[in-house]
Amino acid sequence: MQLPLRRFFIICLLLIVLAIANSCKKKSNPAPAPVATLKGNAPFYMGSAVTSNGIQSNYFYQGTLLTEYNSLTADYEMKFDITEPQPGTFNYAPGDYIVNFAAQHHFRMHGHNFIWHQALPDWVLNFSGDSLAWENLFKTHIETEAAHYKGKVASWDVVNEAIRDDDGSLRNKDVNPGDGSIWRRHLGPDYIARAFQYAHEADPGALLFYNDYGQEWGGAKLDSMIALVTGLKNRGIPISGIGMQMHIDINIDTAGITRAFKRLAATGLKVHISELDISVNPGNDPNIVFTSVLQLKQAALYQFIAETYRKTVPVAQQYGITTWEFCDADSWIPVFFKRKDWPLPFDAHYQKKPAYFGLLKGIGGKE
Ligand code: G3I
């Protein structure tokens, strides 16, 4: 072979070897597949209740929120006892922290709440005045807080848990200590409609919700809720939606969930799953172990809820799914019921549980 030809062959050989080496390198070091997230897969907003303290003090907490969610609800910072601790003295610092964090990171902010029979300061519980004085207290609180957050909060739970569990009547006098409503007692049954009107006048751009629990039980409580919101809507009261808290447990009859979604959807209002968590220890067993059987049962239920919500509530009415906190370490359930429990999609170390993957699958995502 002549010299130039030999050189040509050697160069070709080298190029082939280089190409093969390069393709092997690509195969052994592929680009990482994108990790699925809740907000990246859901066709609606994915939210969580949050505390200002959690966001401020815990990088795992903040990091998980930023990665997975796009809607926030304040756990307690925007309720009456915090925002108006003394008559006419408003304290927005804890709520502002969450609202500003939401704005900075492009979350939707859902306000929770103006009027509830719990989380009230002593001055309200001890207030004595005629019906005009009560109306003024009630109106001032709603209007002042709504005006403060105008343009920063997309939606509000205007009235929370106004209906009794047993017969579906409005909470009024205490049946058990603390379960009556001072609002109904002092303002009459139409206080709910007026709360919506006051909120709307102060912030006409905000969507307004009635929020409660127990829709999945059916019966009198569900009937009353439907009658209440339909009545408000038909009277032209500015109500946009209904919040279905869904503090449920793994033994729930799933038919009740499907029925509730269908009946709420039929009102034409938006439906927000507003406080979802799934207890695995409703029997208060002090020796309970969170076995893989329980974990999978909980995951299947998270999946069922998200899937059924997607299929039974029309797209335009899907306001989203919000869990009540997202990590087991921050759930209200172990504290409130003084028991072990693991109700949320992330474990106490902010790791994804089977419940997370159930929820992800239910919203239509792939792992
Ligand atoms: O008041 C102090 C505050 O000054 C301090 O910064 C903070 C530090 O932890 O403690 C504050 O007390 C908190 C209180 O709310 C204020 O009202 C408690 O820690 C806190 O645990 C407490 O409970 C909240 C409760 O509502 C009352 O607001 C729960 O965290 C929250 O999960 C619970 O949420 C309710 C929904 O609003 C309605 N549906 C049921 C749900 C569970 O009960």
Side-chain angles (χ1 to χ4, degrees), residues 314-337:
V315 172
Q317 289 169 257
Q318 293 170 353
Y319 200 62
I321 298 182
T322 295
T323 54
W324 206 241
E325 296 285 343
F326 53 95
C327 158
D328 285 339
D330 304 309
S331 170
W332 67 289
I333 291 175
V335 181
F336 188 83
F337 295 106

Side-chain angles (χ1 to χ4, degrees), residues 51 53 75-76 79 81-82 112-113 116 118-119 160-161 211 213 245 247 275 324 332 336:
T51 57
N53 188 45
D75 185 295
Y76 63 84
K79 292 172 184 167
D81 57 342
I82 302 292
H112 176 82
N113 55 56
W116 188 22
Q118 292 181 28
N160 192 42
E161 301 174 9
N211 191 50
Y213 61 87
Q245 293 185 8
H247 295 293
E275 305 187 12
W324 206 241
W332 67 289
F336 188 83

Side-chain angles (χ1 to χ4, degrees), residues 215-232:
Q215 289 89 347
E216 59 284 350
W217 306 337
K221 188 160 182 176
L222 179 61
D223 291 346
S224 297
M225 236 176 281
I226 306 263
L228 171 72
V229 297
T230 308
L232 292 174

Side-chain angles (χ1 to χ4, degrees), residues 177-230:
D179 74 356
S181 170
I182 53 157
W183 304 116
R184 161 70 185 86
R185 224 174 293 152
H186 295 287
L187 300 168
D190 212 30
Y191 79 93
I192 298 176
R194 299 202 299 284
F196 278 82
Q197 280 166 327
Y198 296 147
H200 182 69
E201 280 156 21
D203 184 0
L207 300 179
L208 304 180
F209 284 71
Y210 173 74
N211 191 50
D212 212 327
Y213 61 87
Q215 289 89 347
E216 59 284 350
W217 306 337
K221 188 160 182 176
L222 179 61
D223 291 346
S224 297
M225 236 176 281
I226 306 263
L228 171 72
V229 297
T230 308

Side-chain angles (χ1 to χ4, degrees), residues 129 152 337 356:
K152 296 179 178 167
F337 295 106
Y356 171 91

Side-chain angles (χ1 to χ4, degrees), residues 75-86:
D75 185 295
Y76 63 84
E77 289 85 341
M78 293 162 85
K79 292 172 184 167
F80 207 132
D81 57 342
I82 302 292
T83 53
E84 197 181 352
Q86 301 298 330

